[in-house]
Amino acid sequence: MLERWNPTVKAFTVLVCVILLSFEYLVSLNLLVLAVCLLLLVFCSRVSLKKIGVILLPACVAAFGLFVMGLYYARGGSTQIVDMSSLSAMPYSVRAAMSQNLYTALQLATRLLAYAGLGILFALSTEGDFFIASLLHQCHLPPKFAYGILAAFHLMPGMAREYAQVRTAFAVRGLKMGPLSMKPVFTMLVNSVRWSESIAMAMESKGFCGEAPRTYYTVPRVHWYDLAIAALMVGGVVLGMLFLNL
Amino acid sequence: MNTKNWKLKDVLLIAISAVLFGVVYLGCTYIGGVLYGMLTPFGMASLGYEPFYGIYFMAGAFGIYVMRKPGTGLIAELLAAVLECLYGNYFGPIIILSGLVQGLGFELIIALKRYKKFDRLTMIQGAVICSVLTLIYNLFISGYSKIAVPVLAIMLVVRIISAIVFDGFITPMLADGLVKAGVLKGYAVAQGQDMDLED
Amino acid sequence: MSADLALELEDVVFRYQEKGRRNILDHTSLTIPAGTLTVLMGGSGCGKSTLAAVAAGLYPENGGFLESGIIRLYGQDLKTLDPQKRAAYLTVLFQNPDLQFCMNTLREEMRFCLENICIPAGKMDERIEQAAAELGIAPLLDQPLSTLSGGEKQKAALSCLYVMESRCILLDESFANLDHEAAIQLLEMLLRMKASGRTILAIDHRADLWLEAADEIILLEEGGRVAARSINCKNLPEHRADFERLGLFYPGSRSERTVARPAEGKPLLQFRGVSIRKGLPTRRKWGRPVYDAPFLVQNTDADFPAGCMTAVLGPSGTGKTTTFLSVLRQHPYTGQILFQGRDIEKMKLKELYRHIGIVFQNPANQFVTQNVEDEVCVGLRLWEPGLSDEACRQRAEELLDRYGLKRQRRYSPYMLSQGQQRRLAVLSVLAGGQELLLLDEPTYGQDSRSVNAIMEHLREKVEQEGLTVIFITHDTELAAAWADKIYRLEDTMLVEKTAGEVL
Ligand SMILES: Nc1ncnc2c1ncn2[C@@H]1O[C@H](COP(=O)(O)OP(=O)(O)OP(=O)(O)O)[C@@H](O)[C@H]1O
Ligand SMILES: Nc1ncnc2c1ncn2[C@@H]1O[C@H](COP(=O)(O)OP(=O)(O)OP(=O)(O)O)[C@@H](O)[C@H]1O
Ligand SMILES: [Mg+2]
Ligand SMILES: [Mg+2]
């Protein structure tokens, strides 16, 4: 199960894969990575298809944007000629230019999709608290930072509600504001400062102290299988780079 | 980097404001989406989100402007990135990488000024450096090196303007407003602004 | 310097602005014997919450400026203790029930507390289960903390203190959001804690509940100085004058019943078969929201007559606040809510808000300016556009004076004490000209003087301008004394009660 894969190892695996991919422009490898990530998510995690779809959509939009940009404005020098006969209605010059660019465009777009696949693999199968706990124990993130992040993370859902309430308050008080008005944002910022103070005080009053030793209810560990999956994934990408390039 | 002089409430302030700026950015992506649609026929779709790129740096800029101590920019951007990553962004941990780059941008300029100057000019310079660094990062990671130079230039200009507006002007303006509201007592930005409010 | 004192403040001088002229704690000296239950009372804004934070070592660490003074916990100088050790001696339950938590659910929060004090992982669950059973909070353990109602949050915060077992606990107004039964239940638990040798220090505006159990009541005056102490149920009458001088509630005294006017005016707001569910829809099917949460209010009818004050009572967490949100169309409901006979669903939000104003349970969410005076002016100006700047300020100042806030008029609203914030919130909404005001616990955390100021002001507006007021409160006496009509939310129904019944 992807959920049980140690988050720190998972994050590093994703990062290594991304950096490796950034050295290559292999459309096939990119698509392969995307496919593997999605398959892993579908078959080895509890994530629903709908969730994958929802998060994949903006990625596709961004990839399409990059694709169009590549198509129009790729830097010259692409040597791959793609068969453009299907677009024969276009004037020859356009076709020629586009056929050169098409490959570049595909390279850019699929690369972004491959990144998205890796990112989603992490994002959807990792629970926030577990990730932070893992950073705390595996990366020695100081508890002050770890719990600070956690507190802010847990404030997030409340934040949306709070923002709605601030907007209601403004509306009820009869103050005009457009959707872009900075006023509620400023109020929220004031609230953020206040919250940071109150929550810090509450945490300290509960005995939290950045430096003193503390016990932990659960301590995430790195098992052999965490590293094995990591090695498999990175190895797969390296192999892909070697062989698909031929 | 010295983390001893970070109080818990400093960490919380950065983290919570990062969440807030994240929400603001999300709000702006709707407008970005419209621009995206309009620019698509011209092949400039990706430019649609550029006008809001500066919001990405706001957490770092805000942290630096308010706290003014070594490492703030980097730490603030990293905190923001980790939070964004928790929130379920499709970039996942890759965000942390870009957070690092963004943080470096601001850190660089204030380090050059020996952590002494934190005025608006510094913020603007930081914003510009950040934009340039992130574009270089994009060149490698996002493969922008395959895009024609003039387009990249437009992109850079839009990004710089956005960064200057959001990080050089709006962020300090917000922070100064907070100082005036009296909520930032105890932070470097409010130093010497201790007012007597009694009649 | 004796170890049988739980808390000792010696000539403490503390202020928020380093260069300010006003010391919030002005040469405060206070001693609390170990193993006792002490109640601290004092006017709103006299520095009780500040004192709590200073005693716990949270100030000046997190703000403010401690000019001089020594603070000791069980004989130890506070300066030599780190948060972990301090928590072993003293923990605080803060006045504001929001913003006390850093984890997602109560169970995780309790674990966090236990981790802080180095309890071995294996023992944590046992302690948590035990606390849950003792305090009856098992149903709250796994609900996200941010969705709890005000009273539930206070219970949750208290149970965190309970598991930490520190030697002294300081409660800042922690029963204010609870109904009577719940408060009694918590009090019993506190007494058990006291029996096991712990010290309990409670800040409260009402001592009635504590009176029998308290070893001592201490009255504070401006500057956090002790005005009178060693008050208990026996010598109470001797101190009546002190209570009155400081504007505090004298235990046992009832506010006089104002003549309730027969509530027969035409109903301004009507509920017709209204049902409201807990929380928001959890999922959607074919794009339509699907509700599976339990009902808070079910198929209820109610009439809120025009030109009257209606009180809404009910245990904590029954959905009073949520009902208000529904009236503002900020929470989904079914059935019909009619305003002046018109379905509010058919009104534009903007129009609705011209008629209905609200004070939220947490007032800090509704300030729109950065200055106390401006906050009032905003309301005035909007409703009387012709008002000159000068006149506006003058009016605002008069109003602020009435609410005891004049001195703070140049403060930011966020620099006020909790009670002052709530007064300002009420005031700023009252400065508007809506016909219907919804007030969510307007008198919570106020001293007697402020409660009267608020209620008299409301009454005046009701009588002179025909304003209609609906207020939520946990204070049955207040409801009995001031309301023309009383509803109690129980078993998902709004049931009409008479003043005699609720008391
Ligand atoms: N953050 C702050 N900055 C400046 N002044 C403050 C701040 N918080 C409180 N004060 C001032 O300190 C005084 C005491 O506040 P405190 O919160 O201690 O009052 P309190 O006795 O607890 O009142 P209440 O019963 O209303 O809660 C108030 O007059 C308030 O204006
Ligand atoms: N967003 C939400 N999701 C789930 N449950 C919620 C949500 N908001 C409120 N609730 C629950 O609905 C119930 C009613 O809450 P509400 O705030 O209306 O209570 P209340 O009557 O005002 O209580 P109190 O007197 O303590 O303020 C509570 O049990 C609360 O836990
Ligand atoms: Mg208080
Ligand atoms: Mg409520």
Side-chain angles (χ1 to χ4, degrees):
Chain A
M1 289 305 253
L2 288 175
E3 280 88 355
R4 302 219 343 247
W5 188 5
N6 183 290
T8 306
V9 179
K10 202 193 298 182
F12 272 106
T13 310
V14 167
L15 282 181
V16 170
C17 290
V18 164
I19 292 173
L20 283 177
L21 285 179
S22 75
F23 285 108
E24 282 291 349
Y25 288 94
L26 289 170
V27 173
S28 49
L29 180 60
N30 288 342
L31 289 176
L32 200 65
V33 168
L34 174 68
V36 169
C37 288
L38 292 183
L39 286 176
L40 277 176
L41 269 180
V42 173
F43 292 108
C44 300
S45 81
R46 268 171 274 134
V47 183
S48 70
L49 279 178
K50 196 176 142 199
K51 252 190 162 160
I52 300 179
V54 166
I55 193 171
L56 202 56
L57 191 71
C60 290
V61 169
F64 178 72
L66 211 51
F67 177 80
V68 178
M69 186 175 264
L71 206 56
Y72 278 56
Y73 303 109
R75 203 178 289 181
S78 176
T79 48
Q80 301 273 342
I81 303 292
V82 178
D83 177 26
M84 293 291 283
S85 50
S86 56
L87 295 176
S88 54
M90 289 196 174
Y92 175 75
S93 56
V94 175
R95 255 186 296 153
M98 277 185 117
S99 67
Q100 282 212 337
N101 288 354
L102 183 64
Y103 191 71
T104 314
L106 276 175
Q107 285 174 326
L108 292 175
T110 54
R111 171 188 279 198
L112 196 144
L113 284 176
Y115 290 172
L118 288 164
I120 293 171
L121 179 74
F122 178 88
L124 289 187
S125 73
T126 311
E127 210 189 307
D129 295 57
F130 190 30
F131 181 37
I132 298 298
S134 165
L135 283 180
L136 195 126
H137 289 104
Q138 269 87 55
C139 296
H140 302 284
L141 183 69
K144 220 181 326 188
F145 288 88
Y147 282 90
I149 294 175
L150 270 186
F153 175 55
H154 292 140
L155 219 56
M156 257 182 215
M159 194 99 128
R161 226 182 351 257
E162 207 84 9
Y163 183 68
Q165 208 175 65
V166 168
R167 286 192 72 100
T168 311
F170 273 76
V172 173
R173 295 286 292 280
L175 295 176
K176 282 190 211 76
M177 55 179 172
L180 275 184
S181 172
M182 286 302 273
K183 269 205 152 164
V185 175
F186 182 74
T187 305
M188 287 298 286
L189 204 54
V190 173
N191 280 338
S192 310
V193 182
R194 245 171 14 89
W195 292 341
S196 67
E197 247 161 57
S198 310
I199 295 177
M201 281 168 64
M203 286 167 75
E204 276 175 18
S205 127
K206 285 174 178 157
F208 178 79
C209 164
E211 278 88 41
R214 58 202 309 281
T215 50
Y216 292 98
Y217 182 74
T218 45
V219 179
R221 299 199 187 286
V222 179
H223 301 273
W224 64 267
Y225 52 81
D226 292 315
L227 296 174
I229 311 175
L232 267 179
M233 278 195 63
V234 175
V237 172
V238 172
L239 284 182
M241 286 168 70
L242 289 179
F243 290 103
L244 292 172
N245 225 354
L246 293 179
Chain B
M1 205 177 306
N2 187 4
T3 56
K4 277 269 180 324
N5 61 355
W6 278 72
K7 287 187 190 169
L8 180 61
K9 72 166 187 173
D10 302 344
V11 177
L12 280 165
L13 175 61
I14 295 293
I16 296 175
S17 57
V19 172
L20 179 63
F21 293 133
V23 173
V24 172
Y25 182 76
L26 269 185
C28 288
T29 47
Y30 290 108
I31 309 166
V34 176
L35 278 179
Y36 174 100
M38 291 187 335
L39 289 171
T40 303
F42 308 102
M44 295 284 229
S46 290
L47 220 60
Y49 296 112
E50 289 297 318
F52 310 103
Y53 211 92
I55 304 181
Y56 264 138
F57 315 150
M58 269 173 103
F62 183 73
I64 286 200
Y65 191 75
V66 168
M67 294 191 195
R68 317 194 159 182
K69 52 187 169 199
T72 330
L74 206 53
I75 293 181
E77 280 298 346
L78 282 176
L79 282 182
V82 171
L83 273 160
E84 229 168 308
C85 174
L86 292 183
Y87 197 56
N89 189 297
Y90 66 81
F91 277 120
I94 308 169
I95 290 276
I96 300 180
L97 216 55
S98 36
L100 195 70
V101 174
Q102 293 166 11
L104 276 178
F106 273 105
E107 207 58 42
L108 207 67
I109 186 76
I110 48 168
L112 275 179
K113 301 200 174 185
R114 285 164 206 276
Y115 298 103
K116 291 224 174 70
K117 268 182 121 171
F118 294 89
D119 50 359
R120 250 168 230 219
L121 181 66
T122 315
M123 301 305 288
I124 292 174
Q125 288 165 335
V128 174
I129 295 185
C130 245
S131 315
V132 175
L133 276 187
T134 48
L135 200 80
I136 295 177
Y137 165 84
N138 285 147
L139 282 185
F140 287 105
I141 294 286
S142 321
Y144 281 14
S145 50
K146 291 238 170 197
I147 301 280
V149 176
V151 178
L152 288 181
I154 299 177
M155 211 175 233
L156 184 63
V157 169
V158 176
R159 192 176 289 191
I160 288 179
I161 293 175
S162 155
I164 290 180
V165 169
F166 282 109
D167 307 291
F169 289 98
I170 294 186
T171 305
M173 193 185 78
L174 286 173
D176 290 341
L178 289 177
V179 173
K180 252 174 90 192
V183 285
L184 281 181
K185 268 174 312 195
Y187 288 103
V189 64
Q191 217 147 56
Q193 301 240 14
D194 204 11
M195 16 178 192
D196 187 15
L197 295 166
E198 304 295 323
D199 286 320
Chain C
M1 198 210 287
S2 96
D4 48 338
L5 287 179
L7 173 66
E8 203 180 350
L9 274 79
E10 219 177 280
D11 202 35
V12 171
V13 177
F14 177 89
R15 59 178 168 265
Y16 283 100
Q17 271 100 359
E18 187 171 350
K19 298 205 178 64
R21 270 174 291 151
R22 179 172 165 230
N23 295 329
I24 306 299
L25 300 182
D26 198 12
H27 302 283
T28 302
S29 295
L30 182 71
T31 51
I32 305 293
T36 57
L37 195 166
T38 310
V39 180
L40 272 181
M41 293 179 77
S44 175
C46 79
K48 301 179 297 297
S49 301
T50 311
L51 184 116
V54 171
L58 301 171
Y59 287 147
E61 183 76 12
N62 285 298
F65 175 71
L66 184 69
E67 188 172 278
S68 65
I70 300 172
I71 300 151
R72 296 196 194 89
L73 295 177
Y74 289 90
Q76 309 265 347
D77 192 334
L78 190 62
K79 280 201 212 82
T80 62
L81 302 175
D82 63 15
Q84 199 176 33
K85 297 215 188 67
R86 288 196 306 242
Y89 289 121
L90 175 86
T91 41
V92 188
L93 186 55
F94 294 94
Q95 189 167 13
N96 187 348
D98 295 323
L99 310 179
Q100 302 217 14
F101 307 106
C102 63
M103 302 305 260
N104 193 27
T105 63
L106 180 53
R107 191 189 296 278
E108 285 163 18
E109 184 76 24
M110 284 160 115
R111 278 183 198 149
F112 168 75
C113 293
L114 294 173
E115 288 175 354
N116 290 339
I117 53 170
C118 295
I119 303 296
K123 295 227 174 99
M124 290 182 188
D125 285 337
E126 186 190 333
R127 268 215 207 186
I128 293 173
E129 291 308 326
Q130 187 207 339
E134 293 252 339
L135 305 178
I137 42 140
L140 304 183
L141 275 181
D142 294 305
Q143 193 183 340
L145 284 164
S146 64
T147 65
L148 297 185
S149 81
E152 288 168 338
K153 276 185 190 145
Q154 279 179 332
K155 276 196 206 166
L158 190 59
S159 36
C160 286
L161 299 205
Y162 183 84
V163 293
M164 289 185 61
E165 299 187 343
S166 58
R167 291 173 67 181
C168 174
I169 65 174
L170 202 167
L171 309 160
D172 194 349
E173 207 111 20
S174 29
F175 290 177
N177 270 322
L178 291 177
D179 52 295
H180 192 66
E181 288 79 52
I184 299 269
Q185 195 192 342
L186 290 187
L187 181 66
E188 275 166 8
M189 189 210 89
L190 286 172
L191 289 178
R192 277 203 299 279
M193 289 165 79
K194 186 193 154 194
S196 65
R198 257 103 44 85
T199 313
I200 292 163
L201 185 57
I203 295 173
D204 210 329
H205 281 294
R206 288 200 179 250
D208 307 64
L209 192 68
W210 303 97
L211 196 56
E212 266 176 41
D215 295 292
E216 180 180 21
I217 297 175
I218 299 179
L219 303 187
L220 297 180
E221 60 186 2
E222 213 39 31
R225 277 182 303 257
V226 177
R229 66 176 301 169
S230 306
I231 305 172
N232 51 38
C233 52
K234 294 193 198 79
N235 63 7
L236 189 65
E238 296 162 30
H239 291 280
R240 184 158 192 152
D242 288 322
F243 279 88
E244 269 153 23
R245 176 170 60 88
L246 295 169
L248 305 177
F249 281 106
Y250 180 71
S253 74
R254 291 257 165 99
S255 19
E256 257 156 61
R257 182 160 170 71
T258 52
V259 206
R261 293 161 325 138
E264 59 200 14
K266 254 182 98 178
L268 189 70
L269 190 74
Q270 290 166 293
F271 282 16
R272 288 289 168 264
V274 171
S275 300
I276 300 170
R277 297 218 192 217
K278 195 169 182 162
L280 294 172
T282 41
R283 59 203 169 89
R284 289 176 163 266
K285 199 171 182 187
W286 308 119
R288 316 196 86 203
V290 178
Y291 298 89
D292 25 36
F295 282 105
L296 290 170
V297 175
Q298 197 168 16
N299 201 11
T300 279
D301 292 340
D303 288 331
F304 300 93
C308 283
M309 289 170 78
T310 309
V312 178
L313 299 167
S316 177
T318 45
K320 301 179 296 297
T321 303
T322 313
T323 307
F324 269 14
L325 288 180
S326 293
V327 175
L328 289 175
R329 294 210 352 228
Q330 296 293 324
H331 189 91
Y333 66 89
T334 54
Q336 271 190 321
I337 298 181
L338 306 170
F339 180 81
Q340 290 176 330
R342 291 169 64 196
D343 192 340
I344 61 166
E345 288 286 353
K346 303 225 166 72
M347 293 164 87
K348 281 213 184 84
L349 267 191
K350 216 168 144 195
E351 194 192 345
L352 188 67
Y353 294 158
R354 255 208 314 280
H355 298 292
I356 306 185
I358 184 166
V359 174
F360 289 114
Q361 193 162 1
N362 180 3
N365 284 344
Q366 71 180 82
F367 297 130
V368 293
T369 66
Q370 302 313 315
N371 179 298
V372 168
E373 197 172 58
D374 290 345
E375 194 65 31
V376 181
C377 285
V378 165
L380 290 173
R381 225 175 256 131
L382 206 73
W383 291 90
E384 282 177 60
L387 209 61
S388 76
D389 235 27
E390 192 60 27
C392 185
R393 303 236 152 244
Q394 184 136 20
R395 279 269 289 286
E397 237 163 82
E398 278 165 27
L399 285 170
L400 285 171
D401 197 21
R402 186 169 177 176
Y403 277 49
L405 290 173
K406 188 167 168 205
R407 189 170 169 193
Q408 280 86 10
R409 71 195 165 91
R410 290 197 294 143
Y411 277 36
S412 147
Y414 303 97
M415 290 155 66
L416 297 175
S417 81
Q418 294 285 307
Q420 291 169 334
Q421 283 191 7
R422 190 166 304 266
R423 289 205 296 278
L424 179 62
V426 174
L427 189 54
S428 56
V429 171
L430 271 179
Q434 288 102 338
E435 292 121 287
L436 173 64
L437 288 190
L438 308 174
L439 308 173
D440 201 344
E441 312 205 15
T443 60
Y444 144 55
Q446 306 291 348
D447 53 23
S448 159
R449 189 180 291 155
S450 315
V451 168
N452 286 333
I454 294 175
M455 295 314 283
E456 270 159 22
H457 192 194
L458 282 174
R459 173 58 81 194
E460 195 181 296
K461 281 234 164 194
V462 166
E463 272 164 15
Q464 291 169 7
E465 296 165 27
L467 178 75
T468 308
V469 173
I470 307 176
F471 63 101
I472 293 176
T473 184
H474 284 294
D475 187 343
T476 46
E477 274 177 33
L478 184 89
W482 294 93
D484 302 314
K485 186 171 186 178
I486 300 175
Y487 275 113
R488 198 178 141 87
L489 182 55
E490 49 187 26
D491 301 329
T492 71
M493 296 294 261
L494 279 167
V495 185
E496 196 176 343
K497 300 270 177 186
T498 63
E501 277 173 328
V502 297
L503 276 176

